[in-house]
């Protein structure tokens, strides 16, 4: 794996910048459990994975920032403990010697309303808005999407975005339990209550950022809690309007990688336009003593992920 010692014409060269990655910590002070598929979940252990990640990132002494791709606390966290659990995890992220850029996931929204999460996570966006962008160096721009912009969770029940989400679910999902894909086929199985969509205003914002980035010849790394490509993840984990977002992205040549969480097993595929879709493995599913975190070295021509244990290392070489 690349760590700054690669050779070009006999000369070593350094990454432009490096950053830490982790997702789906889903901490809760409750006994271990299982997913609906029977996969073990280690609710108390997951915060230790985060602690080891932060320690490792600090020891490297070269990371400019870290990215958390969402779901820092679990939906099974007792509601009376939601605020303290979120604060506890945020405190661990704050031990990192640099900023952490957060995304809001469905499990976060089961615990606290979005306006409170945006404040606690110090999301650099307008109130109630959890999408934003930042540029760690002139050559790169990171774009963070709000996958629960149109969602039945996190908004007041009568909010237009919640009402729009319920219209989508009522139209697309025939089940009484809107988290169940029973009887649904193929890509339709993504229309579940624990997913969401990017709204019209956010799409206009995204297009504007992509237009500017193309003009400035910047490489864009798109980050979203929900995956954007059916071959990189389970269908049931996809963004509702992933196809609309990808159609927009493909109109511009600047996006090089899409990073996501949510689908705990992880995945990696390169799409028809050469964009890497990397879904990261969940910290929540690490047995005691094992890990799922990593860091990425960014170069002119690739992103090089150095993973730990369950998080598989991978090279994302640009076309």
């Amino acid at each position: 794996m690349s760590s700054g010692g690669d050779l070009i014409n006999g000369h070593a060269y350094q990454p432009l910048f490096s950053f830490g990655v982790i997702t789906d910590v889903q901490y809760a002070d409750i006994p271990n459990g299982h997913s609906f598929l029977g996969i073990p979940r280690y609710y108390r252990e997951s915060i230790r994975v985060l602690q080891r990640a932060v320690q490792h990132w600090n020891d490297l002494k070269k990371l400019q920032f870290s990215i958390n791709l969402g779901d820092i606390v679990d939906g099974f966290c007792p509601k009376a403990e939601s605020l303290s659990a979120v604060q506890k995890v945020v405190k661990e992220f704050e031990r990192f010697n640099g900023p952490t850029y957060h995304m809001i996931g469905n499990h976060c929204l089961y615990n606290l309303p979005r306006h409170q999460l945006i404040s606690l996570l110090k999301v650099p966006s307008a109130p109630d808005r959890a999408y934003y962008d930042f540029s760690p160096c002139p050559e790169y721009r990171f774009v963070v999407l709000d996958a629960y912009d149109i969602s039945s969770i996190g908004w007041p029940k009568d909010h237009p975005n919640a009402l729009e989400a319920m219209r989508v679910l009522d139209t697309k999902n025939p089940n009484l339990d809107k988290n169940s894909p029973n009887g649904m086929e193929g890509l339709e199985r993504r229309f579940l209550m624990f997913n969401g969509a990017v709204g019209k205003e956010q799409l206009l914002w995204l297009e504007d950022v992509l237009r500017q980035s193309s003009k400035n010849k910047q490489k864009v790394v798109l980050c979203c809690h929900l995956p954007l490509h059916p071959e990189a993840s389970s269908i049931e984990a996809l963004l509702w309007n992933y196809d609309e977002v990808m159609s927009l992205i493909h109109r511009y040549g600047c996006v090089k990688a899409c990073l996501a969480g949510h689908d705990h097993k992880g995945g990696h595929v390169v799409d028809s336009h050469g964009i890497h879709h990397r879904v990261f493995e969940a910290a929540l599913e690490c047995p005691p003593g094992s890990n799922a975190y990593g860091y990425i070295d960014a170069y002119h021509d690739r992103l090089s992920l150095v993973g730990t244990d369950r998080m598989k290392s991978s090279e994302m070489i640009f076309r």
Side-chain angles (χ1 to χ4, degrees):
M1 280 296 103
S2 305
S3 57
D6 303 71
L7 295 176
I8 284 188
N9 299 327
H11 298 286
Y13 75 113
Q14 297 296 321
L16 296 168
F17 60 91
S18 303
F19 62 98
V21 284
I22 195 167
T23 193
D24 297 89
V25 173
Q26 289 182 224
Y27 167 73
D29 189 10
I30 56 173
N32 295 340
H34 293 84
S35 71
F36 67 94
L37 294 173
I39 295 162
R41 292 183 163 182
Y42 304 93
Y43 298 108
R44 291 186 177 121
E45 183 63 27
S46 65
I47 199 166
R48 297 188 184 101
V49 177
L50 173 59
Q51 287 166 344
R52 291 192 292 270
V54 169
Q55 185 63 58
H56 182 61
W57 296 340
N58 285 340
D59 288 347
L60 287 167
K61 293 184 169 54
K62 70 170 189 173
L63 304 191
Q64 196 169 322
F65 57 93
S66 68
I67 287 182
N68 154 46
L69 283 120
D71 280 353
I72 61 172
V73 286
D74 194 82
F76 284 124
C77 177
K79 293 300 158 274
E81 297 171 21
S82 289
L83 178 58
S84 61
V86 169
Q87 289 171 327
K88 185 175 179 179
V89 180
V90 167
K91 193 174 178 182
E92 294 303 331
F93 273 109
E94 287 176 346
R95 295 183 197 278
F96 170 59
N97 296 330
T100 295
Y101 293 97
H102 292 278
M103 268 145 273
I104 288 175
N106 53 309
H107 283 268
C108 305
L109 293 167
Y110 297 148
N111 281 276
L112 295 172
R114 64 166 34 236
H115 69 87
Q116 199 171 2
L117 285 164
I118 286 167
S119 172
L120 286 164
L121 298 172
K122 298 183 174 67
V123 176
S125 62
D128 281 352
R129 219 174 83 164
Y131 54 91
Y132 57 95
D133 65 299
F134 64 96
S135 180
C137 76
E139 192 174 321
Y140 272 87
R141 179 163 299 280
F142 282 68
V143 175
V144 177
L145 296 184
D146 178 3
Y148 293 90
D149 189 6
I150 306 301
S151 170
S152 60
I153 47 176
W155 296 107
K157 290 277 181 276
D158 59 350
H159 192 281
N161 292 21
L163 296 172
E164 186 179 340
M166 285 316 299
R167 278 195 296 274
V168 170
L169 288 168
D170 288 339
T171 304
K172 297 288 190 178
N173 188 325
N175 298 304
L176 199 59
D177 174 8
K178 298 300 182 188
N179 274 327
S180 169
N182 285 350
M184 298 161 72
E185 293 193 6
L187 289 166
E188 295 295 295
R189 292 172 69 86
R190 72 188 187 275
F191 291 104
L192 303 172
M193 192 178 267
F194 56 69
N195 297 330
V198 167
K200 289 183 179 64
E201 189 182 323
Q202 187 179 172
L203 282 169
L204 289 170
W205 169 83
L206 173 60
E207 180 157 28
D208 189 51
V209 173
L210 295 179
R211 193 184 295 116
Q212 289 296 324
S213 296
S214 294
K215 188 176 157 188
N216 296 332
K217 295 185 167 48
Q218 289 178 309
K219 298 173 179 72
V220 172
V221 178
L222 202 75
C223 304
C224 184
H225 180 63
L226 297 179
L228 298 172
H229 198 290
E231 290 171 38
S233 114
S234 310
I235 300 300
E236 293 83 0
L238 286 170
L239 184 79
W240 288 347
N241 62 336
Y242 81 89
D243 46 351
E244 198 175 3
V245 172
M246 289 314 302
S247 173
L248 174 57
I249 288 167
H250 286 159
R251 291 213 297 272
Y252 296 86
C254 54
V255 177
K256 301 301 178 186
C258 295
L259 311 181
H262 192 56
D263 195 32
H264 294 183
K265 69 183 184 302
H268 184 193
V269 72
V270 183
D271 73 19
S272 59
H273 286 63
I275 299 170
H276 290 263
H277 295 262
R278 181 65 170 89
V279 180
F280 295 110
E281 295 79 2
L284 174 66
E285 293 179 2
C286 291
S290 69
N291 295 300
Y293 62 81
Y295 68 91
I296 290 177
D297 289 324
Y299 297 90
H300 297 292
D301 63 343
R302 71 191 189 280
L303 298 177
S304 181
L305 168 65
V306 181
T308 307
D309 295 352
R310 290 188 67 257
M311 187 176 285
K312 301 177 186 76
S313 296
S314 48
E315 291 283 328
M316 292 171 258
I317 298 166
F318 310 150
R319 279 188 192 168

